[in-house]
Structures are given as structure tokens and as C-alpha cells.
């Protein structure tokens, strides 16, 4: 199961519509109830993360589930340039600050995403892409202001996101490659290190489980950065998987990336139960939820088997099924059930499977 770039990015507007009018609620399709389980964060000696946005902080069930089950938060989109960097170059950090405040008040760690991402090309950088010095100054100033602001709360940052081409042939830099040339991946790491001497600095990507050529290219980029002396100190595999992800694939990237000896972040785990064109059953069919649980158990076990120093965090990309970006994605479905809690906030078989995988270690 590989998520296409269209699906990954197609989510934004549609997901926005869902957020704007209240995400699709399908309590009627709620997963079969499973026995109440322990708070997820109490089942592992490492950070268990989820993502959120400020719109969800006004929902007491949502915040209660986050505070009970998670020990780290990744702002889903409000710490990205699309929300922070205005066309006039000013920074809007109100939403990011609110999330940071929630993390501090709830004693949650925070992980920042993302600094440089081909999918985001703000006008102020577009305007500077033929002026290397000006481009670098603008990026250094942005990173200094944003990363510096959350120093001490943000354990780590996705410094460069999704830099590898889908087929593994080359890299995707967007305006960042235009402005920084071949250094587009290295320079942001140096700037982030200047802004925060302690944060873990990640290279992050997706489909590393399902596309061997992409995984190879990702590893080659990591090697190249390390050889160039870039302060790359963490590797993130987003792990957007499917209920039909073949056995052995879910843990593949985690196991492969472990050879670098760096902290690993399963950074955006979700396991879609929707399959385009498969009309049999619904995304909440018990059989699909059991298959989802198997995939969840496999990646949880692979992560838990890492040496303790390499277990940065295990992050699920959302809390309840109705909170998932996938419900608005071009490849998902309005009743997709990709997360560990169903639309009503009840535990699903995948939650129990993850807890069991952690408990066995
Ligand atoms: O909430 C606002 C709404 O008030 C406004 O009317 C609307 C139109 O501007 O935008 C809404 O915000 C949207 C937000 O999702 C909430 O739905 C943003 O436009 C939209 O860009 C944002 O999309 C996010 C996307 O990254 C782009 O940042 C998704 O939530 C988020 O799940 C997705 O996450 C990415 C990872 O960063 C990288 N890996 C893939 C993953 C999924 O695409």
C-alpha cells in the first residue's frame, strides 16, 4: 500500500472542508468495542506521539485522549511555513504558540514539522530563489526565529521533509533546490543546529516501507549528508500504511534505518482501511480492523526492538479516526478508519495490538 503524492497532498483542501464543517462523524461505524486498555503512553519506555491542530484543542474528548495516552505532540500543520510565513515576510506564530502552550500545560514534549519541504514554496522564498545569499539569509532568519522560539520544548525537528523522489531517482527540492542548489538538504540542518544546539534534527520521508528504491535513495541521502558533516541526528519514517500492507513491510524501514545508529522516529503512522476500488465491506469491517491491527503490531514491535538510544518516538498521525487527514484525501474515504481510536474515541483492535507489542519488550 503506497500513498501517492496526490493523495498525500490532496488531503489538504478536502480535509480543510471537513475541518471547516466538522469532520465526518460515523459513530454508527464505530469499531467493535475492545476491552479498555491502559493509557498507551504507560506501555512503553519511549515517547508516544500524536499530531494535532488548534481547532482540536477546543474538544475536551480530544484533549482528554491526548493527555491520557500520549507523551509527545507534533503540530499537524500550524508549525509549517504555510501557516507561519506571510507573503509580506511576517511570522504568524499564534497557532504554534497555542499548541506549545498546550504541550507545556499538559507536560507533553513537542516535535516540530517541518522546516524545508518541497511541497511548500512561500512567495518570499520564490522571490529570492535567484539570489543565493538573500535566500540563505531569509531561511536562516526564519529558522532562527521559529526553532529558537521553541528551544527547550521541541525535542526535535523535521528539518528536511520528503526530499527523495518517489521512484528513488534523484531528489525533490522545489524552491529550496532552486535557491540553495545541491546544498538544499545540508544547509537547513546547519541553520537548525545554530538555532537549537540540542534538538534532534531529522530527515523525514514516506513510503520507505513499500518502495525499496526510495528507501535506498533516502539512505544514500542520509549518508551523503553525514559525510558532508551535516548535523543530521535523526531519521524519520512517516509510515503511512494500509490494512493490506504485506507482512514484513511495515517494519522494513525501521529495521533498515537502524543501521545508522541514529534515533529513529516513526513519525506519522496511520493505517488506512480504505482501498480504492475495493467495494467489499467498509473501512470499519472487523476483518479490516484485524488486518490493521496486525500491521500496527508489526511496526510497533520493530520500533520497540530498537536499542533504547534509537527509540526517539512512535507517533500516530491523529487520535480518533474522524480526526485523520485521510478522511479528506484523494485516496481515503470519509469513513476511513486509519487510527487507534474510533470516531467515538473508543479503543480499536490496533490499539490493543500496539500495546501488546510494546508490553512484550
Ligand atoms: O483549518 C483551516 C481552515 O480554517 C481553512 O479554511 C482551510 C483553507 O485554507 O485550511 C484549513 O487548514 C488546513 C489544515 O490541513 C487543516 O485541515 C490547511 O489548509 C492544510 O494545508 C492542512 O493540510 C495538512 C498537510 O499536511 C499540509 O500541511 C494536513 O492537515 C496534514 O495532515 C498533512 O500532513 C502531512 C505531513 O506534514 C507530511 N507527510 C504527509 C502528511 C499527510 O499529507
Amino acid at each position: 500500500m503506497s500513498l501517492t503524492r496526490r493523495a498525500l497532498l490532496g488531503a489538504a483542501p478536502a480535509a480543510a472542508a471537513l475541518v471547516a464543517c466538522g469532520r465526518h462523524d460515523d459513530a454508527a461505524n464505530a469499531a467493535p468495542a475492545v476491552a479498555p486498555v491502559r493509557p498507551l503512553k504507560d506501555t512503553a519506555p519511549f515517547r508516544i506521539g500524536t499530531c494535532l491542530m488548534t481547532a482540536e484543542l477546543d474538544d475536551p474528548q480530544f484533549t482528554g485522549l491526548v493527555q491520557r495516552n500520549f507523551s509527545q505532540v507534533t503540530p499537524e500543520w500550524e508549525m509549517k511555513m504555510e501557516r507561519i510565513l506571510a507573503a509580506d515576510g511576517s511570522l504568524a506564530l499564534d497557532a504554534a504558540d497555542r499548541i506549545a502552550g498546550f504541550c507545556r500545560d499538559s507536560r507533553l514534549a513537542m516535535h516540530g514539522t517541518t522546516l524545508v519541504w518541497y511541497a511548500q514554496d512561500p512567495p518570499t522564498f520564490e522571490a529570492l530563489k535567484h539570489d543565493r545569499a538573500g535566500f540563505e539569509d531569509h531561511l536562516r532568519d526564519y529558522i532562527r526565529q521559529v526553532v529558537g522560539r521553541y528551544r527547550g520544548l521541541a525535542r526535535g525537528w523535521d528539518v528536511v521533509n520528503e526530499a527523495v523522489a518517489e521512484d528513488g531517482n534523484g531528489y525533490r527540492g522545489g524552491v529550496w533546490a532552486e535557491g540553495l542548489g545541491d546544498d538544499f538538504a545540508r544547509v537547513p540542518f546547519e541553520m537548525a543546529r545554530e538555532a537549537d544546539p540540542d534538538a534532534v534534527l531529522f530527515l523525514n520521508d514516506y513510503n520507505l516501507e513499500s518502495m525499496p528504491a526510495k528507501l535506498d535513495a533516502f539512505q544514500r541521502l542520509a549518508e551523503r549528508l553525514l559525510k558532508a558533516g551535516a548535523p543530521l541526528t535523526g531519521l524519520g519514517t512517516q509510515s503511512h500504511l494500509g490494512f493490506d500492507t504485506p507482512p514484513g513491510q511495515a517494519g522494513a524501514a525501521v529495521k533498515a534505518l537502524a543501521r545508522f545508529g541514529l534515533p529513529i522516529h516513526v513519525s506519522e503512522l496511520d493505517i488506512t482501511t480504505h482501498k480504492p476500488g475495493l467495494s467489499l465491506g467498509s473501512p470499519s469491517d472487523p476483518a479490516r480492523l484485524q488486518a490493521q491491527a496486525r500491521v500496527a503490531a508489526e511496526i510497533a514491535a520493530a520500533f520497540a526492538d530498537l536499542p533504547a538510544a534509537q527509540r526517539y518516538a512512535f507517533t500516530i498521525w491523529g487520535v480518533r479516526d474522524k480526526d485523520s487527514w485521510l478522511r479528506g484525501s484523494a485516496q481515503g474515504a470519509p469513513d476511513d478508519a486509519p487510527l487507534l481510536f474510533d470516531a467515538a474515541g473508543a479503543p480499536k483492535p490496533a490499539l490493543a495490538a500496539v500495546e501488546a507489542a510494546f508490553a512484550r519488550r
Side-chain angles (χ1 to χ4, degrees), residues 119-142:
Q120 302 204 348
D121 54 350
T124 51
F125 283 100
E126 274 292 333
L128 289 166
K129 64 188 178 183
H130 302 303
D131 167 10
R132 169 75 186 247
F135 192 99
E136 279 203 30
D137 288 347
H138 186 27
L139 182 58
R140 180 176 291 103
D141 183 58
Y142 177 86

Side-chain angles (χ1 to χ4, degrees), residues 206-226:
Y206 70 97
N207 280 353
L208 301 181
E209 298 82 5
S210 56
M211 306 186 85
K214 186 172 187 180
L215 175 60
D216 290 346
F218 181 86
Q219 293 181 84
R220 287 197 304 274
L221 176 56
E223 285 161 355
R224 198 180 101 197
L225 289 168
L226 292 169

Side-chain angles (χ1 to χ4, degrees), residues 8-9 11-12 15-16 19 23 53 76-77 80 82 113 117 120 161-162 238 240 268 317 325:
L8 283 172
L9 286 182
V19 173
R23 288 193 178 179
M53 60 184 82
E76 186 163 3
W77 71 285
K80 298 170 183 171
E82 65 175 292
T113 197
W117 185 20
Q120 302 204 348
N161 196 38
E162 304 181 0
Q238 294 179 14
H240 293 290
E268 304 178 15
W317 203 240
W325 69 284

